[in-house]
Amino acid sequence: MNIDIFGYFAAILTTAAFLPQLVKILKTKKADDVSLTTLIMFIVGVLSWIIYGYKISSTPVLTANLITLILNLLILISKIYFKTT
Amino acid sequence: MNIDIFGYFAAILTTAAFLPQLVKILKTKKADDVSLTTLIMFIVGVLSWIIYGYKISSTPVLTANLITLILNLLILISKIYFKTT
């Protein structure tokens, strides 16, 4: 069995995983329990992955992290927009 | 400047980012807004990264994802424990 399959499967899951969180916030119009610090640290980390992926010319690292970045930026914006506390 | 610095910085941030989320849940005893689907997809994805990291003998991939797995399992357990809805 090709080992890369685990890598692709892992990349797809840890990227797509943020979609249900975004949908949940948009549906419930609430995100108070989602940590702002976690979102900011994660976004800065993903930005670093993008720089790293670009520098080492890794399309998978670049692509997966660009999608993760967009989803997490949308989660951050939704959280701020629906802020109640 | 060493390109690897971005990789290490990225790995540390996207791993440590989950600690504030765990602390927030333990403090507020609430995690209703945190998506269960996101957590499960992310944990399965991280498990796949661990298998991939082990198979390609990558200590950084293995280490970062083991810590991410532990933090996200604790977030999942806390969410279920403090479930109100």
Side-chain angles (χ1 to χ4, degrees):
Chain A
M1 191 178 177
N2 194 335
I3 292 161
D4 283 350
I5 297 235
F6 283 104
Y8 290 122
F9 184 68
I12 290 168
L13 268 183
T14 51
T15 298
F18 296 103
L19 197 60
Q21 180 66 71
L22 179 62
V23 171
K24 186 182 175 83
I25 295 172
L26 296 178
K27 267 191 189 167
T28 61
K29 301 184 195 306
K30 270 181 86 264
D32 295 337
D33 301 341
V34 177
S35 165
L36 184 68
T37 316
T38 289
L39 279 175
I40 291 168
M41 283 175 74
F42 198 75
I43 285 168
V44 175
V46 168
L47 274 170
S48 309
W49 277 125
I50 289 170
I51 295 170
Y52 180 73
Y54 177 76
K55 293 267 187 188
I56 64 164
S57 306
S58 166
T59 308
V61 172
L62 202 57
T63 314
N65 282 286
L66 271 174
I67 300 169
T68 307
L69 178 71
I70 292 166
L71 287 174
N72 275 277
L73 281 176
L74 291 174
I75 291 170
L76 178 66
I77 293 166
S78 312
K79 176 177 166 64
I80 294 167
Y81 184 78
F82 293 122
K83 190 173 160 62
T84 58
T85 50
Chain B
M1 191 177 180
N2 194 334
I3 292 162
D4 284 350
I5 296 232
F6 284 103
Y8 290 123
F9 184 68
I12 290 168
L13 270 182
T14 50
T15 299
F18 296 103
L19 197 59
Q21 180 66 70
L22 178 63
V23 171
K24 187 182 174 85
I25 296 172
L26 296 178
K27 268 190 186 168
T28 61
K29 301 184 195 308
K30 270 180 85 265
D32 295 337
D33 302 340
V34 177
S35 165
L36 184 66
T37 316
T38 289
L39 278 175
I40 291 167
M41 283 175 74
F42 198 76
I43 285 167
V44 175
V46 167
L47 273 170
S48 310
W49 277 125
I50 290 170
I51 295 169
Y52 180 71
Y54 176 77
K55 293 268 185 189
I56 65 164
S57 305
S58 166
T59 309
V61 172
L62 202 57
T63 315
N65 282 287
L66 270 174
I67 299 169
T68 307
L69 177 71
I70 292 166
L71 287 173
N72 275 278
L73 281 176
L74 291 173
I75 290 171
L76 178 68
I77 293 165
S78 310
K79 177 177 166 64
I80 294 166
Y81 184 78
F82 293 122
K83 191 173 160 65
T84 58
T85 50

